[in-house]
Amino acid sequence: MAQVPTGVVAAAGLVGGYGVARWTKKRPLGGAALAVAGGVAARQWAGKVGAPKAAALTGLYVAAFGGSHPLAKKIGAWPSVFAVAGGVALASWVVESRG
């Protein structure tokens, strides 16, 4: 079975985590979705590019989540979430394609 690209998993975690939190009005549920996707992405990154690069990409994932909050005050919630998700997906693709 084909594996979902890690950048897609990470982006889906950021977008899905926010969506779950917003639509259920239960932030811990959104955090759980964010954490599960982040864990899956971290494991895939480790298998593809090794632990140091996986740690850097996981750190970027967490920083993107944190950075989306102040960015949302400037451009709006959904645009902020999509921007950071796209950034993480792009970074993932670049790191994975360069090995």
Side-chain angles (χ1 to χ4, degrees):
M1 179 161 63
Q3 189 176 48
V4 175
T6 314
V8 173
V9 173
L14 289 161
V15 173
Y18 176 70
V20 167
R22 181 169 177 143
W23 290 314
T24 65
K25 297 186 180 12
K26 296 185 185 331
R27 292 178 67 159
L29 202 54
L34 179 82
V36 168
V40 170
R43 187 172 180 152
Q44 284 185 214
W45 283 321
K48 291 180 178 181
V49 297
K53 290 178 183 175
L57 287 166
T58 302
L60 177 64
Y61 181 81
V62 173
F65 167 70
S68 69
H69 292 83
L71 183 60
K73 292 180 181 180
K74 297 181 186 292
I75 65 172
W78 279 112
S80 172
V81 170
F82 286 125
V84 300
V88 170
L90 178 61
S92 177
W93 176 77
V94 168
V95 170
E96 287 181 19
S97 68
R98 293 187 179 177

Coordinates of all heavy atoms in Angstrom, one line a residue:
M1 N 0.8 -1.2 0.0 CA 0.0 0.0 0.0 C 0.9 1.2 0.0 O 1.9 1.3 0.7 CB -0.9 0.0 1.2 CG -1.8 1.2 1.3 SD -3.2 1.1 2.4 CE -2.6 0.9 4.0
A2 N 0.5 2.2 -0.8 CA 1.3 3.5 -0.9 C 1.1 4.3 0.4 O 0.1 4.3 1.0 CB 0.8 4.3 -2.1
Q3 N 2.2 4.9 0.8 CA 2.2 5.7 2.0 C 1.9 7.2 1.6 O 2.3 7.7 0.6 CB 3.6 5.7 2.6 CG 3.7 6.3 3.9 CD 5.1 6.2 4.5 OE1 6.1 6.4 3.9 NE2 5.2 5.7 5.8
V4 N 1.1 7.8 2.4 CA 0.7 9.2 2.2 C 1.9 10.0 2.4 O 2.7 9.8 3.4 CB -0.4 9.6 3.2 CG1 -0.7 11.1 3.1 CG2 -1.7 8.8 3.0
P5 N 2.2 11.0 1.5 CA 3.4 11.8 1.7 C 3.4 12.5 3.0 O 2.4 13.0 3.5 CB 3.3 12.8 0.5 CG 2.5 12.2 -0.5 CD 1.5 11.3 0.3
T6 N 4.6 12.6 3.7 CA 4.7 13.1 5.0 C 4.2 14.6 5.1 O 3.6 15.0 6.1 CB 6.1 12.9 5.6 OG1 6.5 11.6 5.3 CG2 6.1 13.1 7.0
G7 N 4.6 15.3 4.1 CA 4.1 16.7 4.1 C 2.6 16.9 4.1 O 2.1 17.8 4.8
V8 N 1.9 15.9 3.5 CA 0.5 15.9 3.5 C -0.1 15.6 4.9 O -1.0 16.2 5.4 CB -0.1 15.0 2.4 CG1 -1.6 14.8 2.5 CG2 0.3 15.4 1.0
V9 N 0.6 14.6 5.5 CA 0.2 14.2 6.9 C 0.3 15.4 7.8 O -0.6 15.7 8.6 CB 1.0 13.0 7.4 CG1 0.8 12.7 8.8 CG2 0.8 11.8 6.5
A10 N 1.5 16.1 7.7 CA 1.7 17.2 8.6 C 0.8 18.4 8.4 O 0.2 18.9 9.3 CB 3.2 17.7 8.4
A11 N 0.5 18.7 7.1 CA -0.4 19.8 6.8 C -1.8 19.4 7.2 O -2.5 20.2 7.8 CB -0.4 20.0 5.3
A12 N -2.2 18.1 7.0 CA -3.5 17.7 7.5 C -3.6 17.8 9.0 O -4.7 18.1 9.5 CB -3.8 16.3 7.0
G13 N -2.6 17.5 9.7 CA -2.6 17.6 11.1 C -2.8 19.0 11.6 O -3.6 19.3 12.5
L14 N -2.2 20.0 11.0 CA -2.4 21.4 11.3 C -3.8 21.9 11.0 O -4.5 22.5 11.8 CB -1.3 22.3 10.7 CG 0.1 22.1 11.2 CD1 1.2 22.6 10.2 CD2 0.3 22.8 12.6
V15 N -4.2 21.6 9.8 CA -5.5 22.0 9.3 C -6.6 21.3 10.1 O -7.6 21.9 10.6 CB -5.7 21.9 7.8 CG1 -7.1 22.1 7.3 CG2 -4.7 22.8 7.0
G16 N -6.4 20.0 10.2 CA -7.4 19.1 10.8 C -7.5 19.4 12.3 O -8.6 19.5 12.9
G17 N -6.4 19.7 13.0 CA -6.4 20.0 14.4 C -7.2 21.3 14.7 O -8.0 21.3 15.6
Y18 N -6.9 22.3 13.8 CA -7.7 23.5 14.0 C -9.2 23.3 13.7 O -10.0 23.8 14.4 CB -7.1 24.6 13.1 CG -8.0 25.9 13.2 CD1 -8.0 26.6 14.3 CD2 -8.8 26.3 12.1 CE1 -8.8 27.8 14.5 CE2 -9.6 27.4 12.2 CZ -9.6 28.2 13.4 OH -10.3 29.3 13.5
G19 N -9.5 22.6 12.6 CA -10.9 22.4 12.2 C -11.6 21.6 13.3 O -12.7 22.0 13.7
V20 N -11.0 20.6 13.8 CA -11.7 19.8 14.9 C -11.9 20.7 16.1 O -13.0 20.7 16.7 CB -10.8 18.6 15.3 CG1 -11.3 17.9 16.6 CG2 -10.8 17.5 14.2
A21 N -10.9 21.5 16.5 CA -11.1 22.3 17.7 C -12.2 23.4 17.4 O -13.0 23.6 18.3 CB -9.8 23.0 18.0
R22 N -12.2 23.9 16.3 CA -13.2 25.0 16.0 C -14.6 24.4 15.9 O -15.6 25.0 16.4 CB -12.8 25.6 14.6 CG -13.8 26.7 14.3 CD -13.3 27.6 13.2 NE -14.3 28.6 12.8 CZ -14.0 29.8 12.5 NH1 -12.7 30.2 12.4 NH2 -14.9 30.6 12.2
W23 N -14.8 23.3 15.2 CA -16.1 22.8 14.9 C -16.7 22.0 16.1 O -17.9 22.0 16.3 CB -16.2 21.9 13.7 CG -16.0 22.8 12.4 CD1 -16.6 23.9 12.1 CD2 -15.1 22.5 11.3 NE1 -16.2 24.4 10.9 CE2 -15.3 23.6 10.4 CE3 -14.2 21.5 11.0 CZ2 -14.6 23.6 9.2 CZ3 -13.5 21.6 9.8 CH2 -13.7 22.6 9.0
T24 N -15.9 21.4 16.9 CA -16.4 20.7 18.1 C -16.5 21.7 19.3 O -17.1 21.3 20.3 CB -15.6 19.5 18.5 OG1 -14.2 19.9 18.9 CG2 -15.5 18.5 17.4
K25 N -15.7 22.8 19.2 CA -15.6 23.7 20.4 C -14.9 23.1 21.5 O -15.1 23.4 22.7 CB -16.9 24.3 20.8 CG -17.5 25.2 19.7 CD -18.8 25.9 20.2 CE -19.5 26.7 19.1 NZ -19.2 26.7 17.8
K26 N -14.1 22.1 21.2 CA -13.3 21.3 22.3 C -11.8 21.4 21.8 O -11.4 20.6 21.0 CB -13.8 19.9 22.4 CG -15.2 19.8 22.9 CD -15.6 18.4 23.1 CE -17.1 18.2 23.5 NZ -17.8 19.2 24.2
R27 N -11.1 22.3 22.4 CA -9.7 22.5 22.0 C -8.8 21.3 22.3 O -8.0 20.9 21.5 CB -9.1 23.7 22.7 CG -9.8 25.0 22.2 CD -9.2 26.2 22.9 NE -7.8 26.4 22.6 CZ -7.2 27.5 22.7 NH1 -7.8 28.6 23.2 NH2 -5.9 27.6 22.4
P28 N -9.1 20.6 23.4 CA -8.3 19.3 23.6 C -8.4 18.3 22.5 O -7.5 17.6 22.2 CB -8.8 18.8 25.0 CG -9.3 20.0 25.7 CD -9.9 20.9 24.6
L29 N -9.6 18.2 21.9 CA -9.9 17.3 20.8 C -9.1 17.7 19.6 O -8.5 16.8 18.9 CB -11.4 17.2 20.5 CG -11.9 16.0 19.8 CD1 -11.6 14.8 20.6 CD2 -13.4 16.1 19.7
G30 N -9.0 19.0 19.3 CA -8.2 19.5 18.2 C -6.7 19.2 18.5 O -6.0 18.9 17.6
G31 N -6.3 19.4 19.8 CA -4.9 19.2 20.1 C -4.6 17.7 20.0 O -3.4 17.4 19.6
A32 N -5.5 16.8 20.2 CA -5.3 15.4 20.1 C -5.1 15.1 18.6 O -4.1 14.3 18.2 CB -6.4 14.6 20.6
A33 N -5.9 15.6 17.7 CA -5.7 15.4 16.3 C -4.4 16.0 15.8 O -3.7 15.3 15.0 CB -6.9 16.1 15.5
L34 N -4.0 17.1 16.3 CA -2.7 17.7 15.9 C -1.6 16.8 16.4 O -0.6 16.6 15.6 CB -2.6 19.1 16.6 CG -1.3 19.9 16.4 CD1 -1.4 20.6 15.1 CD2 -1.1 20.9 17.5
A35 N -1.7 16.3 17.6 CA -0.6 15.5 18.2 C -0.5 14.1 17.4 O 0.6 13.7 17.2 CB -0.8 15.3 19.7
V36 N -1.6 13.5 17.1 CA -1.6 12.2 16.4 C -0.9 12.4 15.1 O 0.0 11.6 14.7 CB -3.0 11.6 16.3 CG1 -3.0 10.4 15.4 CG2 -3.4 11.2 17.7
A37 N -1.4 13.4 14.3 CA -0.8 13.6 13.0 C 0.7 14.0 13.1 O 1.5 13.5 12.3 CB -1.6 14.7 12.2
G38 N 1.0 14.8 14.1 CA 2.4 15.1 14.3 C 3.3 13.9 14.6 O 4.4 13.8 14.1
G39 N 2.7 13.0 15.4 CA 3.5 11.8 15.7 C 3.7 10.9 14.5 O 4.8 10.3 14.3
V40 N 2.6 10.8 13.7 CA 2.7 10.0 12.5 C 3.8 10.6 11.5 O 4.6 9.9 11.0 CB 1.4 9.8 11.8 CG1 1.5 9.3 10.4 CG2 0.4 9.0 12.6
A41 N 3.7 11.9 11.4 CA 4.7 12.6 10.5 C 6.1 12.4 11.0 O 7.0 12.1 10.3 CB 4.3 14.1 10.4
A42 N 6.3 12.6 12.3 CA 7.6 12.4 12.9 C 8.2 11.0 12.7 O 9.4 10.9 12.3 CB 7.6 12.7 14.4
R43 N 7.4 10.0 12.8 CA 7.8 8.7 12.6 C 8.2 8.5 11.1 O 9.2 7.8 10.8 CB 6.7 7.7 13.0 CG 7.2 6.3 12.9 CD 6.1 5.4 13.5 NE 6.6 4.0 13.5 CZ 6.2 3.1 14.3 NH1 5.4 3.3 15.3 NH2 6.7 1.9 14.1
Q44 N 7.4 9.0 10.2 CA 7.7 8.9 8.8 C 9.0 9.6 8.4 O 9.8 9.1 7.7 CB 6.5 9.4 7.9 CG 5.4 8.4 7.9 CD 4.2 8.9 6.9 OE1 3.1 8.6 7.2 NE2 4.6 9.5 5.8
W45 N 9.1 10.8 9.0 CA 10.3 11.6 8.7 C 11.6 10.9 9.2 O 12.6 10.8 8.5 CB 10.3 13.0 9.4 CG 9.4 14.0 8.7 CD1 9.3 14.2 7.3 CD2 8.6 15.0 9.3 NE1 8.4 15.2 7.1 CE2 8.0 15.7 8.3 CE3 8.3 15.3 10.6 CZ2 7.1 16.8 8.5 CZ3 7.4 16.3 10.9 CH2 6.8 17.1 9.8
A46 N 11.5 10.3 10.4 CA 12.6 9.6 10.9 C 13.0 8.4 10.0 O 14.2 8.1 9.8 CB 12.3 9.1 12.3
G47 N 12.0 7.7 9.5 CA 12.3 6.6 8.6 C 12.9 7.0 7.2 O 13.6 6.3 6.6
K48 N 12.5 8.2 6.8 CA 12.9 8.7 5.5 C 14.2 9.5 5.5 O 15.0 9.3 4.6 CB 11.8 9.5 4.8 CG 10.6 8.7 4.5 CD 9.6 9.7 3.8 CE 8.3 8.9 3.4 NZ 7.3 9.8 2.8
V49 N 14.4 10.3 6.5 CA 15.6 11.2 6.5 C 16.4 11.1 7.7 O 17.4 11.9 7.8 CB 15.1 12.7 6.2 CG1 14.5 12.8 4.9 CG2 14.2 13.2 7.3
G50 N 16.1 10.3 8.6 CA 16.9 10.1 9.8 C 16.5 11.0 11.0 O 15.7 12.0 10.8
A51 N 17.0 10.7 12.2 CA 16.5 11.3 13.4 C 16.8 12.8 13.5 O 15.9 13.6 13.9 CB 17.1 10.6 14.6
P52 N 18.0 13.3 13.1 CA 18.3 14.7 13.2 C 17.3 15.6 12.4 O 16.8 16.6 12.8 CB 19.7 14.9 12.8 CG 20.3 13.6 13.1 CD 19.2 12.6 12.8
K53 N 17.2 15.2 11.1 CA 16.3 16.0 10.2 C 14.8 15.8 10.7 O 14.0 16.8 10.6 CB 16.5 15.6 8.8 CG 17.8 16.0 8.2 CD 18.0 15.5 6.8 CE 19.4 15.9 6.3 NZ 19.6 15.4 5.0
A54 N 14.5 14.6 11.1 CA 13.1 14.4 11.6 C 12.8 15.3 12.8 O 11.7 15.9 13.0 CB 12.9 13.0 12.0
A55 N 13.8 15.5 13.7 CA 13.6 16.3 14.9 C 13.5 17.8 14.4 O 12.6 18.5 15.0 CB 14.8 16.2 15.8
A56 N 14.2 18.2 13.4 CA 14.1 19.6 12.9 C 12.7 19.8 12.3 O 12.1 20.9 12.6 CB 15.2 19.9 11.9
L57 N 12.3 18.9 11.5 CA 10.9 19.0 10.9 C 9.8 19.0 12.0 O 8.8 19.7 11.8 CB 10.7 17.9 9.8 CG 11.5 18.1 8.6 CD1 11.5 16.9 7.7 CD2 11.0 19.3 7.8
T58 N 10.0 18.1 13.0 CA 9.0 18.1 14.0 C 9.0 19.4 14.8 O 7.9 19.9 15.2 CB 9.3 16.9 15.0 OG1 9.3 15.7 14.2 CG2 8.3 16.8 16.1
G59 N 10.2 20.0 15.0 CA 10.3 21.3 15.7 C 9.6 22.3 14.8 O 8.9 23.2 15.4
L60 N 9.7 22.3 13.5 CA 9.0 23.2 12.6 C 7.5 23.0 12.7 O 6.8 24.0 12.7 CB 9.5 23.0 11.2 CG 8.8 23.9 10.1 CD1 9.1 25.3 10.4 CD2 9.3 23.4 8.7
Y61 N 7.1 21.8 12.8 CA 5.6 21.5 12.9 C 5.1 22.2 14.2 O 4.1 22.9 14.1 CB 5.4 20.0 13.0 CG 4.0 19.5 13.1 CD1 3.2 19.4 12.0 CD2 3.5 19.1 14.4 CE1 1.9 18.9 12.1 CE2 2.2 18.6 14.5 CZ 1.4 18.5 13.3 OH 0.1 18.0 13.4
V62 N 5.8 22.0 15.3 CA 5.3 22.6 16.6 C 5.4 24.2 16.5 O 4.5 24.9 16.9 CB 6.2 22.1 17.8 CG1 5.9 22.8 19.0 CG2 6.0 20.6 17.9
A63 N 6.5 24.7 15.9 CA 6.6 26.1 15.7 C 5.6 26.7 14.8 O 5.1 27.8 15.1 CB 8.0 26.5 15.2
A64 N 5.2 25.9 13.8 CA 4.1 26.4 12.9 C 2.8 26.5 13.7 O 2.1 27.5 13.5 CB 4.0 25.5 11.7
F65 N 2.5 25.5 14.5 CA 1.3 25.6 15.3 C 1.3 26.8 16.2 O 0.4 27.6 16.2 CB 1.2 24.3 16.2 CG 0.2 24.4 17.2 CD1 -1.2 24.5 16.9 CD2 0.6 24.5 18.6 CE1 -2.1 24.6 18.0 CE2 -0.4 24.6 19.6 CZ -1.7 24.7 19.3
G66 N 2.4 27.0 16.9 CA 2.5 28.2 17.7 C 2.5 29.5 17.0 O 1.9 30.5 17.4
G67 N 3.2 29.6 15.8 CA 3.3 30.8 15.0 C 2.0 31.1 14.3 O 1.7 32.3 13.9
S68 N 1.1 30.1 14.2 CA -0.2 30.4 13.5 C -1.1 31.3 14.3 O -1.9 32.1 13.8 CB -0.9 29.1 13.2 OG -1.4 28.5 14.4
H69 N -0.9 31.3 15.7 CA -1.7 32.1 16.5 C -1.5 33.6 16.3 O -2.4 34.4 16.1 CB -1.5 31.7 18.0 CG -2.1 30.3 18.2 ND1 -1.4 29.2 18.0 CD2 -3.3 29.9 18.7 CE1 -2.1 28.1 18.3 NE2 -3.3 28.5 18.7
P70 N -0.2 34.1 16.4 CA 0.0 35.6 16.2 C -0.3 35.9 14.7 O -0.8 37.0 14.5 CB 1.4 35.8 16.6 CG 2.1 34.5 16.7 CD 1.0 33.5 16.9
L71 N 0.0 35.0 13.8 CA -0.3 35.3 12.4 C -1.8 35.5 12.2 O -2.2 36.3 11.4 CB 0.3 34.2 11.5 CG 0.2 34.4 10.0 CD1 0.9 35.6 9.6 CD2 0.8 33.1 9.3
A72 N -2.6 34.7 12.9 CA -4.0 34.8 12.7 C -4.6 36.1 13.1 O -5.5 36.6 12.5 CB -4.7 33.7 13.6
K73 N -3.9 36.8 14.0 CA -4.4 38.2 14.4 C -4.1 39.2 13.2 O -4.8 40.2 13.2 CB -3.6 38.6 15.6 CG -4.1 37.8 16.8 CD -3.4 38.2 18.1 CE -3.9 37.3 19.2 NZ -3.3 37.6 20.5
K74 N -3.2 38.8 12.4 CA -2.9 39.7 11.2 C -3.7 39.4 10.0 O -4.1 40.3 9.3 CB -1.4 39.7 10.9 CG -0.6 40.2 12.1 CD 0.9 40.2 11.7 CE 1.8 40.5 12.8 NZ 1.8 41.9 13.3
I75 N -3.8 38.1 9.7 CA -4.5 37.7 8.4 C -5.7 36.9 8.5 O -6.4 36.6 7.5 CB -3.4 37.0 7.5 CG1 -3.0 35.6 8.1 CG2 -2.2 37.8 7.2 CD1 -2.2 34.8 7.1
G76 N -6.1 36.5 9.8 CA -7.3 35.7 10.0 C -6.9 34.2 10.3 O -5.8 33.8 9.9
A77 N -7.8 33.5 10.9 CA -7.5 32.2 11.4 C -7.2 31.2 10.3 O -6.2 30.5 10.3 CB -8.6 31.7 12.3
W78 N -8.2 31.0 9.4 CA -8.0 30.0 8.4 C -6.8 30.3 7.4 O -6.0 29.4 7.1 CB -9.3 29.8 7.6 CG -10.3 28.9 8.3 CD1 -11.5 29.2 8.8 CD2 -10.1 27.5 8.5 NE1 -12.1 28.1 9.4 CE2 -11.3 27.1 9.2 CE3 -9.1 26.6 8.3 CZ2 -11.4 25.7 9.6 CZ3 -9.3 25.3 8.7 CH2 -10.4 24.9 9.4
P79 N -6.7 31.6 7.0 CA -5.5 31.9 6.2 C -4.2 31.6 6.9 O -3.3 31.1 6.3 CB -5.6 33.4 5.8 CG -7.1 33.6 5.9 CD -7.6 32.7 7.0
S80 N -4.2 31.8 8.2 CA -3.0 31.6 9.0 C -2.7 30.1 9.0 O -1.6 29.6 8.8 CB -3.1 32.1 10.4 OG -2.1 31.7 11.2
V81 N -3.7 29.3 9.3 CA -3.6 27.8 9.4 C -3.1 27.3 8.0 O -2.2 26.4 7.9 CB -4.9 27.1 9.8 CG1 -4.8 25.6 9.7 CG2 -5.2 27.5 11.3
F82 N -3.7 27.7 6.9 CA -3.3 27.2 5.6 C -1.9 27.7 5.3 O -1.1 26.9 4.6 CB -4.3 27.7 4.5 CG -5.6 26.9 4.6 CD1 -6.8 27.6 4.7 CD2 -5.6 25.6 4.5 CE1 -8.0 27.0 4.7 CE2 -6.9 24.9 4.6 CZ -8.0 25.6 4.7
A83 N -1.5 28.9 5.7 CA -0.1 29.3 5.4 C 0.9 28.5 6.1 O 1.9 28.1 5.5 CB 0.0 30.8 5.8
V84 N 0.7 28.2 7.4 CA 1.7 27.5 8.1 C 1.7 26.0 7.7 O 2.8 25.4 7.6 CB 1.6 27.6 9.6 CG1 1.8 29.1 10.1 CG2 0.3 27.0 10.2
A85 N 0.5 25.5 7.4 CA 0.4 24.1 6.9 C 1.2 24.0 5.5 O 1.9 23.0 5.3 CB -1.0 23.7 6.7
G86 N 1.0 24.9 4.7 CA 1.7 24.9 3.4 C 3.2 25.0 3.6 O 4.0 24.4 2.9
G87 N 3.6 25.9 4.5 CA 5.1 26.0 4.8 C 5.7 24.7 5.3 O 6.8 24.3 4.9
V88 N 5.0 24.0 6.2 CA 5.5 22.8 6.7 C 5.5 21.7 5.6 O 6.5 20.9 5.5 CB 4.7 22.3 7.9 CG1 5.0 20.9 8.3 CG2 4.9 23.2 9.1
A89 N 4.5 21.7 4.8 CA 4.5 20.7 3.7 C 5.6 20.9 2.7 O 6.3 20.0 2.3 CB 3.1 20.7 3.0
L90 N 5.8 22.2 2.4 CA 6.9 22.5 1.5 C 8.3 22.1 2.1 O 9.1 21.5 1.4 CB 6.9 24.0 1.2 CG 8.0 24.5 0.2 CD1 8.0 23.8 -1.1 CD2 7.9 26.0 0.1
A91 N 8.5 22.5 3.4 CA 9.8 22.1 4.0 C 10.0 20.6 4.1 O 11.1 20.1 3.8 CB 9.8 22.7 5.4
S92 N 8.9 19.9 4.3 CA 9.0 18.4 4.4 C 9.4 17.9 3.0 O 10.3 17.1 2.9 CB 7.6 17.9 4.8 OG 7.6 16.5 4.7
W93 N 8.8 18.4 2.0 CA 9.1 18.0 0.6 C 10.5 18.3 0.3 O 11.2 17.4 -0.3 CB 8.1 18.6 -0.4 CG 8.5 18.3 -1.8 CD1 8.2 17.1 -2.4 CD2 9.2 19.1 -2.7 NE1 8.7 17.1 -3.7 CE2 9.3 18.3 -3.9 CE3 9.7 20.3 -2.7 CZ2 9.9 18.8 -5.1 CZ3 10.4 20.8 -3.8 CH2 10.5 20.1 -5.0
V94 N 11.0 19.5 0.6 CA 12.4 19.8 0.3 C 13.4 18.9 1.0 O 14.3 18.4 0.4 CB 12.7 21.3 0.6 CG1 14.1 21.6 0.6 CG2 11.9 22.2 -0.3
V95 N 13.2 18.7 2.3 CA 14.1 17.9 3.1 C 14.1 16.5 2.6 O 15.1 15.8 2.4 CB 13.8 18.0 4.6 CG1 14.6 17.0 5.4 CG2 14.0 19.4 5.1
E96 N 12.9 15.9 2.3 CA 12.8 14.5 1.9 C 13.4 14.4 0.5 O 14.0 13.3 0.2 CB 11.3 14.1 1.9 CG 10.8 13.8 3.3 CD 9.4 13.3 3.3 OE1 8.9 12.9 2.3 OE2 8.7 13.5 4.4
S97 N 13.2 15.3 -0.4 CA 13.7 15.2 -1.7 C 15.2 15.3 -1.8 O 15.8 14.7 -2.7 CB 13.0 16.2 -2.7 OG 13.5 17.5 -2.4
R98 N 15.8 15.9 -0.8 CA 17.3 16.0 -0.8 C 17.9 14.9 0.0 O 19.1 14.9 0.1 CB 17.7 17.4 -0.3 CG 17.3 18.5 -1.2 CD 17.8 19.8 -0.8 NE 17.3 20.8 -1.8 CZ 17.6 22.1 -1.7 NH1 18.2 22.5 -0.7 NH2 17.1 22.9 -2.6
G99 N 17.1 14.2 0.7 CA 17.6 13.0 1.5 C 18.2 13.4 2.7 O 18.9 13.0 3.5

